[in-house]
Amino acid sequence: MGRILIVDDTLFMRTLLKNILFSGGHDIVGEAGDGDEAIAKYQELKPDLVTMDVVMPKVNGIEALKGIRAIDPNAKVVMCTAVGQEQMVKLAIKTGAKGYIVKPFQAPKVLEEIKNVLSS
Amino acid sequence: MALVPVKIEKDGKWLVGRIDLQQDSMNVVEPFKAAIPYKSVIDLEEKKNILIVTVKGDPPVIYRIASVEKVLQAMKRFIAMSCSAYRLMAYFMSPAVRGGVMVTNATWEKGAIAVLKSTIWFVSQNKQVSVALKEVTSMEITKKEVQKNQVDVLKLDHMENTDVVTSYVLCPLSTLQILINFLKDATKDLEITGEELDPVAAQVGMLIYSGMDSHAIEKMLNIPYKNLDEVYEKLLKLGMAEVTQVRREVQLTPKGVRFITESVKPPT
């Protein structure tokens, strides 16, 4: 089980992910609402994994991923994209994302992906 | 070509039998005799490793057949490639996304798409995937990167047991348009016409999709059960949800309270 930082600009999606990950036995160490906050929280909390929304105000998920990878090249970041943003997936993978989930998502599959990334 | 072991249903009973699989037909040789030319098959469904083969007739004849995976694979391939259906050669990727998670080893399969009365079949040499039309949740023509080119594909979302799965079909755009029009027509009962959900109902819908139960939804949205029940009622009325279970809330009677009180007393 991992210590996870959830990054999403909507409270609803953060709460949903928090519930799913908590039900899977993970520890939610923090939440961030934009890319800047995500980078700062990553540095502060050193989580095992980050779930990162792609489209966010100010600094987006791809830029935040770059920022986090600059701090920790081995950071495990799972990107969350909405339907229709699948093209972003390739860019995220190139940038170093370890996994990706597409919204809307189903709890068991999300937990499976998180488990895979944590054990990779 | 090959005599294969099967179990076949007759008069509600499953009987052990054998089927002779040929290039253009399959013939039941035991426990009864029946010739099934693939061309006469008008529908083919798969439910939990059982093939349901509907053969043209008045009324149509339905065969339910169970067997080992290898035999069923051969049957599915033969039937889907030769039966009475709208068929087109295409590449397909199924599943590409499952429950919101990309399937990492998903690859394009070269094969055919066969659209039957109740089911769409993706068929290649090694893979046969069936999608019941009533399980299709959405479809659209979209762009997808294939070998560094953005190409038109049909994106098909459908249910597979309780998972929401995305599959892709790749073929010329004109064929995709024929296919999507056909599918839209075949699944028009699932269209939502005019009934808009308010933001709370939409959030409830999203949470149900994600697998949250009533208790979790109440807590997450901070709404009382009465309001949640009203949303459920709306979703049920719109045919967007179905009841899976009714949970009861109870309180202890004096007898129950007495039992609990007694049970925590230290032994004397």
Side-chain angles (χ1 to χ4, degrees):
Chain A
M1 299 302 113
R3 299 170 63 254
I4 298 178
L5 170 66
I6 296 173
V7 186
D8 199 297
D9 60 327
T10 65
L11 174 64
F12 177 72
M13 289 312 292
R14 290 204 302 272
T15 314
L16 174 55
L17 270 170
K18 198 159 66 176
N19 257 272
I20 292 172
L21 297 172
F22 188 73
S23 73
H26 299 287
D27 188 9
I28 314 306
V29 292
E31 293 174 39
D34 62 56
D36 266 342
E37 201 184 348
I39 298 166
K41 288 249 167 104
Y42 187 87
Q43 195 143 29
E44 179 198 337
L45 301 166
K46 298 279 187 289
D48 299 326
L49 186 143
V50 181
T51 67
M52 178 79 74
D53 186 21
V54 172
V55 180
M56 289 187 294
K58 294 194 249 179
V59 176
N60 70 29
I62 302 286
E63 292 305 312
L65 170 64
K66 283 180 191 165
I68 288 174
R69 299 257 308 158
I71 299 166
D72 175 4
N74 297 317
K76 290 178 173 173
V77 180
V78 172
M79 306 304 286
C80 293
T81 67
V83 169
Q85 295 171 349
E86 285 91 343
Q87 294 91 329
M88 300 296 279
V89 166
K90 202 158 185 186
L91 181 58
I93 294 295
K94 266 188 191 164
T95 313
K98 302 288 186 206
Y100 37 87
I101 48 184
V102 183
K103 299 178 204 172
F105 41 69
Q106 290 181 293
K109 305 299 161 197
V110 171
L111 290 173
E112 231 174 84
E113 178 76 347
I114 297 291
K115 190 178 161 194
N116 288 343
V117 174
L118 278 171
S119 60
S120 65
Chain B
M1 205 170 102
L3 208 53
V4 294
V6 294
K7 279 191 175 177
I8 189 160
E9 195 196 47
K10 189 171 169 59
D11 302 327
K13 285 183 184 163
W14 284 95
L15 305 170
V16 175
R18 286 191 298 168
I19 286 181
D20 185 17
L21 274 185
Q22 296 291 331
Q23 281 289 353
D24 55 357
S25 69
M26 59 184 201
N27 305 306
V28 183
V29 290
E30 281 175 37
F32 54 88
K33 298 222 180 298
I36 308 170
Y38 300 135
K39 270 187 192 167
S40 68
V41 175
I42 52 170
D43 204 9
L44 177 68
E45 297 168 81
E46 186 176 30
K47 282 178 188 163
K48 292 180 184 166
N49 293 328
I50 295 172
L51 275 191
I52 304 167
V53 184
T54 306
V55 177
K56 194 162 51 181
D58 191 19
V61 185
I62 296 171
Y63 296 95
R64 289 184 174 79
I65 301 165
S67 189
V68 294
E69 186 54 35
K70 206 175 167 187
V71 168
L72 291 182
Q73 267 194 9
M75 273 184 199
K76 288 185 275 189
R77 204 172 58 241
F78 280 136
I79 297 173
M81 293 305 284
S82 309
C83 67
S84 169
Y86 171 63
R87 200 167 15 251
L88 57 114
M89 304 313 285
Y91 287 86
F92 65 87
M93 187 189 282
S94 180
V97 180
R98 185 184 288 280
V101 176
M102 302 276 183
V103 177
T104 43
N105 55 359
T107 51
W108 286 105
E109 298 269 342
K110 188 180 182 184
I113 312 294
V115 187
L116 285 89
K117 209 171 159 188
S118 67
T119 311
I120 310 165
W121 282 87
F122 300 144
V123 186
S124 71
Q125 187 65 28
N126 302 315
K127 201 170 184 179
Q128 297 86 37
V129 180
S130 70
V131 178
L133 287 173
K134 62 179 183 201
E135 304 284 327
V136 172
T137 57
S138 75
M139 71 206 80
E140 63 170 336
I141 293 177
T142 183
K143 296 273 184 196
K144 188 165 174 64
E145 192 177 299
V146 179
Q147 293 176 339
K148 296 187 178 171
N149 294 314
Q150 289 293 320
V151 295
D152 293 301
V153 293
L154 171 68
K155 177 173 169 284
L156 196 67
D157 292 332
H158 51 97
M159 303 294 293
E160 199 179 283
N161 301 321
T162 54
D163 292 349
V164 182
V165 164
T166 300
S167 301
Y168 291 105
V169 177
L170 170 61
C171 61
L173 181 59
S174 55
T175 316
L176 285 182
Q177 272 158 350
I178 296 170
L179 183 60
I180 198 169
N181 288 339
F182 179 89
L183 291 174
K184 275 184 177 165
D185 190 52
T187 59
K188 61 181 175 222
D189 292 350
L190 299 172
E191 275 177 22
I192 304 164
T193 48
E195 296 103 339
E196 287 284 320
L197 289 183
D198 61 69
V200 175
Q203 284 185 334
V204 169
M206 169 74 90
L207 294 175
I208 297 170
Y209 184 108
S210 297
M212 300 294 116
D213 62 15
S214 302
H215 184 62
I217 296 173
E218 273 176 71
K219 269 175 53 184
M220 285 176 66
L221 298 181
N222 198 20
I223 55 172
Y225 183 73
K226 189 174 168 285
N227 294 15
L228 179 59
D229 199 48
E230 281 168 12
V231 174
Y232 282 175
E233 204 53 52
K234 192 171 186 177
L235 296 175
L236 290 169
K237 265 189 193 155
L238 290 171
M240 293 171 73
E242 57 191 7
V243 178
T244 52
Q245 60 175 319
V246 178
R247 206 173 279 184
R248 292 192 292 181
E249 295 293 336
V250 299
Q251 65 175 22
L252 290 180
T253 59
K255 188 178 176 182
V257 172
R258 187 171 172 178
F259 173 80
I260 296 298
T261 314
E262 291 296 322
S263 70
V264 294
K265 278 184 184 167
T268 51

